[in-house]
């Protein structure tokens, strides 16, 4: 069965990388089809609702650099969405609270204040902290400047203009710790936010750690109305400019003929042809399953097979029928042991008691939202890292490969034990709250895999791919096939995925988009975007025009 419509580009998957790429291509006059297996677009930016009273973010807990000239506002503004998506800043004097066995620290959104606060909390490590912050702040500044460069730099020019990145970028964070002579306590404080990228100091590169930290040093924010606002705005741009979003439609194969991509085939037998295919699907599954080794060079296939993934997460979604004690608008990173011992316990599956916990408070981040929770209730999430294998959960195969797990006794018992351990750790920090719980829901890495088909259920993409620090570019060796998303060289998280989509769209259009939109260029016609009435719903918009009114959409109220 073949769809007769002519498409210029088919995008597989609707995470931030895919949607940003699709929106810019559509606003530039290309006919774009986005195909998403889930019920709504957005990937890890999507939300879900429970009891007609609570809305939970899956992956958007806070975003960096979202001030007036920040990266995401610039990307959205380049599509005419600047007035449609706004960001609320978290506590600038302490957007993250770090609690370790030896030191507690509020992280401010400023490198200089961060340095001073670290040295005050860790006076015996002061010299090493100075050296560490010098390297990370310089590397972050170099990366930010390089991203705005309009010309293509030679290797020699890159070394000259980004010397710290060249010297330290691909080395492990643990090597920088050693170079700075930092104590175990200092290492734990400095790496306390490492679950933001899902890798231990011995595995993550200095570049990734520095860039993620620098991202938040430019301010920590939350999109007003929740993460689904990002996807909904991009879907509006796509559809307004002639594109189409198909949800509940899963791609089985990326079609390749004579060495070039020619379209996609769906599991239901439909085929859509296009001279360009952009995969926002999991990178390993793109290479090994959607394309297949018959169409790819041996080294690329080998690197995909041997690649490892960042660690996955378990999450508890919690609602209380009372407010939490008053606190600043900040996340909490709690560590029960030093960072190295904690990662060793995670890898060994020793999670009772949990070695670390991230706490994020939606009802404080977005207190005016009518969707988060009823007045004088609380909505928050608890997260911890998990081992990368299915064995911890008592199953052999993940849901993307047909594994059935949701009613498996070993799985449900493991999930219940881990949930109890996470609640115990959270109550040590927040005080008792279990008697006030009105909704409690646990999600495991298998849940993540079921909805996003990510290898191992991680939201962070690749941990290793070939030599240290390497990640795929958006180009591939198959003509007409490109990849975007959290596994590309542009970084993990919402911002990294969005940058990959912007870069990919620019390459397909033959232009560097970031310098253009930074200078104020707007693509497409913002005047065509639809009015948002009183009943406008980001979740409904993100289902796509064809399914916007379909049954089964959860409401609030």
């Amino acid at each position: 069965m073949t769809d007769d419509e002519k498409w210029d580009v088919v995008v597989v998957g609707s995470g931030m990388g895919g949607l940003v790429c699709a929106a810019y291509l559509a606003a530039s006059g290309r006919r774009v089809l986005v195909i998403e297996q889930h019920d709504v677009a957005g990937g890890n930016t999507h939300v879900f609702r429970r009891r007609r009273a609570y809305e939970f973010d899956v992956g958007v807990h806070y975003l960096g650099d979202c001030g007036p000239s920040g990266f995401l506002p610039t990307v959205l503004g380049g599509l005419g969405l600047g007035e449609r998506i706004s960001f609320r800043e978290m506590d600038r004097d302490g957007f993250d609270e770090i609690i370790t066995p030896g030191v507690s620290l509020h992280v401010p959104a400023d490198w200089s204040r961060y340095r001073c606060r670290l040295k005050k909390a860790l006076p015996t490590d002061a010299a090493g902290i100075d050296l560490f912050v010098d390297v990370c702040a310089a590397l972050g500044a170099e990366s930010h400047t390089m991203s705005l460069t309009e010309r293509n730099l030679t290797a020699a020019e890159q070394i000259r203009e980004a010397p710290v990145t060249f010297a330290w970028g691909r080395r492990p964070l643990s090597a920088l710790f050693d170079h700075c002579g930092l104590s175990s306590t200092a290492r734990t404080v400095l790496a306390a936010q490492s679950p933001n990228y899902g890798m231990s100091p011995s595995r993550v590169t200095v570049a990734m750690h520095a860039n993620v930290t620098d991202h938040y040093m430019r301010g920590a924010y939350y999109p007003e109305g929740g993460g689904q606002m990002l996807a909904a705005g991009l879907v509006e741009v796509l559809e307004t400019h002639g594109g189409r979003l198909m949800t509940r439609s899963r791609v089985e194969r990326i079609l390749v003929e004579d060495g070039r991509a020619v379209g996609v085939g769906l599991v239901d037998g439909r085929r859509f042809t296009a001279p360009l295919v952009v995969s926002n699907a999991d990178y390993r599954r793109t290479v090994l399953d959607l394309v297949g080794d018959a169409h790819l060079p041996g080294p690329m296939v080998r690197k995909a097979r041997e690649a490892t993934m960042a660690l996955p997460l378990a999450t508890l979604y919690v609602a209380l029928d009372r407010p939490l004690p008053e606190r600043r608008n900040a996340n909490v990173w709690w560590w029960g042991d030093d960072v190295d011992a904690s990662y060793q316990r995670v890898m060994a599956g020793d999670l009772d008691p949990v070695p670390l916990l991230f706490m994020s408070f939606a009802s404080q981040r977005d207190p005016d939202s009518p969707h988060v929770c009823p007045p004088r209730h609380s909505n928050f999430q608890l997260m911890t890292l998990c081992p990368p294998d299915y064995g911890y959960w008592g199953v052999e195969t993940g849901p993307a490969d047909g594994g059935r797990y949701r009613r498996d006794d070993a799985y449900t018992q493991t999930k219940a034990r881990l949930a109890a351990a996470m609640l115990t750790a959270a109550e040590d920090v927040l005080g008792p709250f279990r008697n006030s719980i009105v909704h409690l829901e646990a999600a495991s890495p298998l849940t993540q895999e079921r909805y996003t088909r990510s290898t191992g259920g991680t939201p962070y993409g690749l941990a290793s791919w070939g030599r240290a620090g390497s990640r795929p570019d958006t180009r591939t060796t198959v003509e007409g096939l490109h990849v975007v998303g959290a596994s590309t060289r542009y970084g993990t998280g919402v911002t990294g995925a969005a940058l990959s989509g912007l870069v990919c769209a620019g390459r397909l259009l033959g232009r560097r988009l970031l310098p253009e939109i930074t200078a104020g260029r707007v693509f497409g016609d913002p005047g065509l975007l639809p009015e948002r009435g009183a009943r406008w719903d980001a979740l409904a918009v993100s289902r796509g025009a064809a399914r916007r009114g379909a049954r089964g959409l959860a409401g609030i109220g």
Side-chain angles (χ1 to χ4, degrees), residues 253-337:
R253 297 290 291 180
I254 293 173
L255 306 175
V256 179
E257 296 177 2
D258 299 323
R260 66 165 298 120
V262 296
V264 298
L266 274 58
V267 294
D268 62 10
R270 287 180 292 172
R271 291 164 56 98
F272 296 88
T273 60
L276 294 169
V277 176
V278 177
S279 179
N280 189 198
D282 176 87
Y283 179 78
R284 291 185 79 246
R285 294 192 192 281
T286 296
V287 171
L288 302 176
D289 300 335
L290 298 183
V291 178
D293 55 13
H295 301 292
L296 296 167
M300 184 178 184
V301 174
R302 184 175 64 255
K303 283 203 293 185
R305 289 194 191 282
E306 295 175 355
T308 60
M309 308 303 292
L311 292 174
L313 296 158
T315 305
L316 287 185
Y317 300 94
V318 187
L320 309 182
D321 62 2
R322 63 169 174 84
L324 285 168
E326 188 171 340
R327 50 176 295 108
R328 69 169 71 200
N329 185 6
N331 305 306
V332 174
W333 296 93
W334 173 89
W335 290 75
D337 206 337

Side-chain angles (χ1 to χ4, degrees), residues 187-211:
R187 295 173 190 229
T188 302
V189 172
L190 291 167
Q193 297 139 302
S194 58
N196 270 330
Y197 44 72
M199 285 177 266
S200 68
S202 63
R203 301 198 71 194
V204 72
T205 61
V206 174
M208 180 170 283
H209 176 84
N211 286 330

Side-chain angles (χ1 to χ4, degrees), residues 415-434:
K415 190 166 73 166
R417 284 195 301 271
L418 181 55
M422 293 168 71
L423 289 172
T424 296
E427 288 188 314
D428 285 345
V429 177
L430 303 176
F433 60 77
R434 287 191 218 206

Side-chain angles (χ1 to χ4, degrees), residues 122 124-133 173-174 176-188 190:
L122 298 155
T124 59
D125 286 285
I129 286 169
D130 273 331
L131 181 55
F132 181 86
V133 173
L173 182 63
S174 56
L176 181 57
F177 286 162
D178 292 342
H179 178 73
C180 297
L182 294 169
S183 67
S184 174
T185 301
R187 295 173 190 229
T188 302
L190 291 167

Side-chain angles (χ1 to χ4, degrees), residues 22 39 170 259 294 367 501:
D39 185 58
R170 289 181 179 270

